[in-house]
Amino acid sequence: LEFSLAHPDPSPGYATTLGSLQGLLTRAEELISLQRDLIAQVRGATLQKRNLRRRIRRAQMKHLARVAKGAARENPELAQKFVLRPEQIPYLEFQATARAMLAEAQNQKEVLVKHGLAETLLEGLVRNVNQFDQALEQVGGGKRVGSGRRAPAPARLRHPRGQALVVGLDRDVAGLHLA
């Protein structure tokens, strides 16, 4: 492009082609910027998801399991409903387990509070599970843009001479290539 601008050709087709190329390069830069933004967004959500899972499991779910164990003297089925799964389970499985424990804790709130459940812990668990759901959606749908639209895959932009200008949108390729 720099060469073409520095050495213009007087033909009208040349100016049209040059204008098209400039438009394609501008669009390519927009796509590259979008890719960088999405990668940063997914990385941030991944970190948040990891931290929330750790906090939920090691503090809130562990406390629920201990309280349920004590409350099992009054209601024996509670101990089975608040069993902690291994820490390194898939995120979707963890989400389901956390949601199930939260729902059961809300259903058995009176019994659990009587045996030592802090209501603020339950409120915090609700908040953290909701934040975890949001982070999981951002990561799982992390290639989505705005209101649920998918981000563009590698875009093919047509050059006036029929050449395809390919803009790579994967993590390794962020440049322009003539196809």
Side-chain angles (χ1 to χ4, degrees):
L1 179 65
E2 289 177 24
F3 178 83
S4 297
L5 291 172
H7 303 89
D9 187 300
S11 80
Y14 183 82
T16 303
T17 301
L18 189 58
S20 295
L21 181 59
Q22 287 174 316
L24 291 171
L25 290 174
T26 300
R27 178 67 179 139
E29 288 174 10
E30 291 170 1
L31 292 172
I32 290 168
S33 178
L34 174 64
Q35 177 190 14
R36 285 186 187 127
D37 293 346
L38 289 173
I39 289 171
Q41 180 183 2
V42 169
R43 285 183 180 159
T46 299
L47 182 61
Q48 181 185 21
K49 177 182 68 170
R50 195 176 310 135
N51 290 338
L52 282 167
R53 177 164 92 167
R54 186 176 301 125
R55 183 181 321 142
I56 290 168
R57 188 185 186 294
R58 291 182 182 174
Q60 296 164 327
M61 288 172 71
K62 193 176 249 185
H63 180 70
L64 271 176
R66 283 188 195 132
V67 170
K69 194 173 186 179
R73 285 177 260 144
E74 184 178 321
N75 187 347
E77 67 189 36
L78 283 179
Q80 296 171 342
K81 293 183 179 184
F82 293 93
V83 175
L84 282 179
R85 308 261 321 192
E87 193 156 335
Q88 295 303 321
I89 60 175
Y91 284 114
L92 290 175
E93 194 174 330
F94 173 80
Q95 180 186 34
T97 301
R99 282 249 164 244
M101 284 181 83
L102 176 59
E104 192 60 35
Q106 290 171 326
N107 290 338
Q108 301 291 334
K109 184 176 177 180
E110 288 181 32
V111 174
L112 294 172
V113 167
K114 188 166 57 171
H115 289 276
L117 175 66
E119 289 188 49
T120 55
L121 181 122
L122 195 56
E123 293 165 4
L125 181 58
V126 168
R127 187 175 46 257
N128 286 339
V129 167
N130 288 335
Q131 288 176 358
F132 183 82
D133 292 346
Q134 291 171 353
L136 199 59
E137 175 61 29
Q138 276 187 309
V139 171
K143 300 196 175 46
R144 295 184 182 274
V145 180
S147 61
R149 296 184 340 254
R150 281 222 169 261
R156 289 195 180 276
L157 306 173
R158 279 278 162 210
H159 186 275
R161 291 190 198 133
Q163 296 170 321
L165 187 64
V166 178
V167 182
L169 285 179
D170 62 348
R171 291 178 187 222
D172 300 323
V173 181
L176 305 175
H177 308 282
L178 283 178

